[in-house]
Amino acid sequence: MKIVKSIKEMQEISIALKRKGKIIGFVPTMGYLHEGHLSLIRLAKKKSDIVVVSIFVNPMQFGPKEDFKRYPRDLKRDTKLARKAGCDVLFIPSQKQIYPDRFSAHVNVEKLSDTLEGKFRSGHFKGVTTVVAKLFNIVQPDLAFFGQKDAQQVVIIQKMAQDLNYNLKIIVAPTVREPSGLALSSRNIYLAEDERKTAKVLFESLQKAQSVIEQGETNSFKIIHEMEKMILSKPKTIIDYIAITDSKTLEPLEKLSGEVLISMAVFVGSTRLIDNLKLKVK
Ligand code: AMP
């Protein structure tokens, strides 16, 4: 596995690979790799000739009161895990390279970035789309792999790729969970032992919603109310939002139909967790 720190070198590697007709699969991450990331790398390995993984904790997607400084980092461990999962090129640019002095161009996907997570994390998705656009231009992938864990991010990046004519295919992989149902996240490290036990209620509430929907319930308000009750019955929980929306437009639905996305952000103690479930309603 090659470790690349320079943007220019990464671009040259990609250009040479493309000239040889190689399929480049790309997995962008912020590091502190877990099975969720590794599942994306393994999938990329199956579908591409060369797998590029980036690790960049992107300051632009963190709000001023968020955890950028505290965000877990362990490059040594990540390097081993990425190699084992099948990464061929590990791209680790510095902050200075990605955002040199007087950097001023941004990519923003309007509307979709302002709802759900966007309401609570102003500017977050603008930071995500700006860095992902840059990474796409640097790595020039044929395939780019993202996790369903960040459902809104997937919708926004698909829209960005479409609207800006990126010549690549976005591949979405399912959310990897702990046996308890808790979705894996680099931020789970912040959870104290009792909080980790509580945190499984997010997925339990999604499963509850699924079973109520399968029994024929189509009233969003009732489903969300049930979920809120479940979550708030646990200690140290604060709900930012629970929403049922169309899975593509992310518009809220009063009455469920078609493909719906149930998504949420919940604080457990001081850790903010997100989770979601995509369902087809008959
Ligand atoms: P991050 O390092 O949090 O920016 O995540 C990098 C990529 O891994 C994103 O596409 C995430 O959606 C994906 N990812 C994070 N957690 C999971 C998970 N539990 N299951 C599947 N994919 C995930």
Side-chain angles (χ1 to χ4, degrees), residues 27-40 54-58 61 71 124 128 145-151 153-154 157 171-178 182-188 274-275:
V27 183
T29 82
M30 297 207 299
Y32 210 68
L33 303 181
H34 52 64
E35 270 303 313
H37 300 115
L38 301 178
S39 72
L40 294 177
S54 65
I55 296 180
F56 181 66
V57 185
N58 176 31
Q61 70 188 67
Y71 196 83
H124 168 67
V128 170
F145 296 81
F146 292 88
Q148 180 60 26
K149 161 84 190 334
D150 298 276
Q153 174 171 284
V154 165
I157 285 169
I171 296 178
V172 184
T175 302
V176 178
R177 299 176 181 281
E178 288 187 352
L182 174 64
L184 297 189
S185 161
S186 305
R187 288 188 169 100
N188 290 352
I274 58 168
D275 204 346

Side-chain angles (χ1 to χ4, degrees), residues 9 15 37 78 97 102 104 142 149 171 227 264:
E9 190 188 353
I15 290 166
H37 300 115
D78 285 351
Q97 282 217 40
R102 292 186 290 281
S104 66
D142 300 283
K149 161 84 190 334
I171 296 178
M227 296 173 74
M264 60 169 76

Side-chain angles (χ1 to χ4, degrees), residues 38-60:
L38 301 178
S39 72
L40 294 177
I41 300 174
R42 288 187 203 110
L43 184 64
K45 190 74 182 175
K46 272 196 206 144
K47 293 189 179 280
S48 347
D49 298 319
I50 296 288
V51 178
V52 180
V53 176
S54 65
I55 296 180
F56 181 66
V57 185
N58 176 31
M60 201 188 280

Side-chain angles (χ1 to χ4, degrees), residues 34 36 149 175-185 187-193 195-204 206-207 266 268 271-275:
H34 52 64
K149 161 84 190 334
T175 302
V176 178
R177 299 176 181 281
E178 288 187 352
S180 70
L182 174 64
L184 297 189
S185 161
R187 288 188 169 100
N188 290 352
I189 185 104
Y190 301 150
L191 294 167
E193 207 176 309
E195 294 172 343
R196 194 173 265 268
K197 280 189 193 133
T198 292
K200 66 182 191 329
V201 76
L202 274 74
F203 186 54
E204 285 167 356
L206 288 167
Q207 286 180 308
V266 176
V268 177
T271 306
R272 189 174 183 279
L273 301 172
I274 58 168
D275 204 346

Side-chain angles (χ1 to χ4, degrees), residues 61-72:
Q61 70 188 67
F62 288 78
K65 293 197 180 121
E66 293 183 3
D67 56 342
F68 174 68
K69 282 217 176 97
R70 195 183 161 217
Y71 196 83

Side-chain angles (χ1 to χ4, degrees), residues 153-171:
Q153 174 171 284
V154 165
V155 173
I156 290 171
I157 285 169
Q158 277 166 335
K159 186 82 172 95
M160 176 188 86
Q162 184 188 358
D163 285 1
L164 297 182
N165 306 102
Y166 276 98
N167 184 24
L168 51 80
K169 192 170 163 205
I170 308 281
I171 296 178

